[in-house]
Amino acid sequence: MQMCLLRAVGWSSAAVLGVLAVAIFLLVLHPAKDAALFTRSKYGLVFDAGSTHTALYIYRWPADKENGTGIVSQVEACTVSGPGISSYADNPAGAGASLKPCLDKAMKIIPAEQQRETPTYLGATAGMRLLREQNSTKAEQVFAEVAKAISKYPVDFRGAQILTGNEEGSFGWITVNYLLETLVKYSFAEKWEHPRDTEVLGALDLGGASTQITFQPGVPIEDKNTSVFFRLYGTNYLLYTHSYLCYGQTQALKRLLAALHQDSPSHQQILHPCYPKGYQENVSMADLYNSPCVHAPSTPKPAQVLTVMGTGDPTVCTTSIQKLFNFSCGANRTCGFDGVYQPPVRGQFFAFSGLYHNLHFLNLTGGQSLSLVNVTIRQFCTSSWEKVQKEFPTMNRTHLRDACAGSFYTLTLLLQGYKFNHTTWLNIHFVRQVANIDVGWTLGYMLNLTNMIPSETPQMVIELQRSNWIAATVLLAIMLILIFCLLTVICCQKNSGYESL
């Protein structure tokens, strides 16, 4: 019997060592693989409610973060049909209803089990800023209907808000530098790192109602109202940023038309030097002066209809656009325009949104010299309406009408407004996308918000490893008892057989 027990102990010890070896292999060599099963992606939704249209951007990032900021990528972009939400001032319910098709699309992309924890935001820009100035009650009604529509979906809706001009500019700057990997980069050591000796880029944005400039200046910022501080990926950034309300393209060109009307000898006919020769349309006084950006004449006649005729005169067009700005800065002060402080532009810049579209249609976004850009635009602006329609048959009628004015407005804003020159012009890179991701403020907004989203993975890995070891210990104890008992029974049965012989 004693020999039987010794054999059982030996066999059971061998078996236990084998099981332990397998357990150690699974727990030590494969913990990362097990943890990866629990490392899921997170999603976020951001509505860009601009002055002329709204778009929904769907973002995704890993649950673990890099230096406090998630590595975010764009999954999808959905353009909302119709105008911007500020256009629904007299039909607030329409603003909410317009968002539903894009929300339906997002629900098909985000896994059902993660939808309720998906943070969802709506950021409105200059269009809603103007509506709030015009009629705060109507602005609140639009927001209420938008919130009501989004809240019907199984997402973590965190509110709709109007971004300040500085927020819009600085979030656009974050987007640009994130996409260019000047904030964080995946290194050869297979980890995310802040790149050394890398200059950040400035951001130039032109929307329908406002325009923004943001960059890291080479001198101290004198006006605290134009500075913003960010901490991203463990690094601090102090930026200059300013947003000019009413200097977005739609509002600026409306101001131009109103100025031409008020300077016109005939109060019923407007000769427009930026419209192609031969172009003609009728505009009501009510539509012309329906914006707080446009100063109405002392005795407006809303019912009056004006006839606008294009003259295609690039010289007069440029002069008329320049009159929209005040370029004087005053003594001992550097400024952009309208007396707003701005340090000298420095480094490389990305120009996007309207700045890109205004030059892209003439293939002028490929780094051409300023002289060539000027010549090309002037040639286009002398073309007749009949000729430009033949050259650009698929272009929207309104966009084609405004192409000359938009191009000259871009040059005036960048050169005389923001003080670029023939040399620094070559530092401006006109882009729409980088790595198939749209350039705008929404990605920067999402990146900044990830600082407030807790990281799950480290805790989940600890809990996973702890539970694995507990389960393995219990399992091994049970197996040890069972194997010992089994081998003891077998040994004793054989020993009884030998004794019977």
Side-chain angles (χ1 to χ4, degrees), residues 25 147 328:
F25 176 78
S328 61

Side-chain angles (χ1 to χ4, degrees), residues 273-274 311-319 377-379 381-382 404 408:
C274 305
T311 61
D313 189 331
T315 302
V316 179
C317 175
T318 303
T319 303
I377 293 174
R378 292 185 72 87
Q379 287 178 346
C381 288
T382 58
C404 171
F408 273 132

Side-chain angles (χ1 to χ4, degrees), residues 26-39 457 461 464-465:
L26 292 174
L27 293 171
V28 176
L29 297 183
H30 289 278
K33 185 175 181 180
D34 290 340
L37 296 175
F38 285 81
T39 305
T457 303
V461 172
L464 175 65
Q465 292 173 341

Side-chain angles (χ1 to χ4, degrees), residues 376-395:
T376 305
I377 293 174
R378 292 185 72 87
Q379 287 178 346
F380 173 82
C381 288
T382 58
S383 300
S384 67
W385 178 239
E386 182 181 5
K387 182 180 179 182
V388 298
Q389 284 182 302
K390 289 180 179 178
E391 290 181 356
F392 303 91
T394 60
M395 194 170 182

Side-chain angles (χ1 to χ4, degrees), residues 327-347:
F327 297 120
S328 61
C329 291
N332 301 320
R333 183 176 176 87
T334 59
C335 78
F337 53 92
D338 288 2
V340 176
Y341 164 77
Q342 179 195 303
V345 291
R346 168 179 173 265

Side-chain angles (χ1 to χ4, degrees), residues 165-177:
N166 283 5
E167 287 175 333
E168 187 177 359
S170 55
F171 290 143
W173 178 90
I174 292 175
T175 297
V176 165
N177 286 281

Side-chain angles (χ1 to χ4, degrees), residues 162-339:
I162 298 177
L163 273 69
T164 67
N166 283 5
E167 287 175 333
E168 187 177 359
S170 55
F171 290 143
W173 178 90
I174 292 175
T175 297
V176 165
N177 286 281
Y178 175 83
L179 294 177
L180 293 175
E181 298 185 329
T182 60
L183 302 179
V184 66
K185 187 174 183 178
Y186 200 67
S187 69
F188 288 109
E190 296 186 348
K191 63 179 181 178
W192 293 96
E193 295 179 346
H194 175 72
R196 298 178 181 178
D197 303 323
T198 301
E199 289 287 332
V200 294
L201 277 77
L204 300 165
D205 187 7
L206 175 63
S210 67
T211 181
Q212 288 76 230
I213 178 171
T214 308
F215 63 100
Q216 194 171 46
V219 297
I221 300 174
E222 298 175 10
D223 185 350
K224 292 182 179 179
N225 293 324
T226 62
S227 67
V228 62
F229 171 82
F230 277 104
R231 181 173 178 80
L232 293 165
Y233 302 100
T235 303
N236 297 334
Y237 298 94
L238 183 62
L239 309 174
Y240 167 86
T241 186
H242 187 73
S243 176
Y244 293 87
L245 190 61
C246 294
Y247 282 91
Q249 182 163 310
T250 301
Q251 294 300 323
L253 297 191
K254 180 170 282 196
R255 290 168 53 215
L256 173 62
L257 183 58
L260 292 171
H261 169 241
Q262 293 172 24
D263 292 341
S264 174
S266 170
H267 293 295
Q268 293 185 337
Q269 187 180 75
I270 304 173
L271 299 180
H272 203 307
C274 305
Y275 287 175
K277 188 180 298 183
Y279 177 86
Q280 183 172 319
E281 69 172 354
N282 294 326
V283 178
S284 71
M285 286 276 284
D287 289 338
L288 178 56
Y289 292 101
N290 66 353
S291 167
C293 293
V294 182
H295 300 294
S298 54
T299 55
K301 299 177 181 179
Q304 185 177 352
V305 176
L306 309 171
T307 301
V308 184
M309 301 179 64
T311 61
D313 189 331
T315 302
V316 179
C317 175
T318 303
T319 303
S320 300
I321 288 173
Q322 289 172 350
K323 290 179 181 178
L324 301 176
F325 299 81
N326 175 9
F327 297 120
S328 61
C329 291
N332 301 320
R333 183 176 176 87
T334 59
C335 78
F337 53 92
D338 288 2

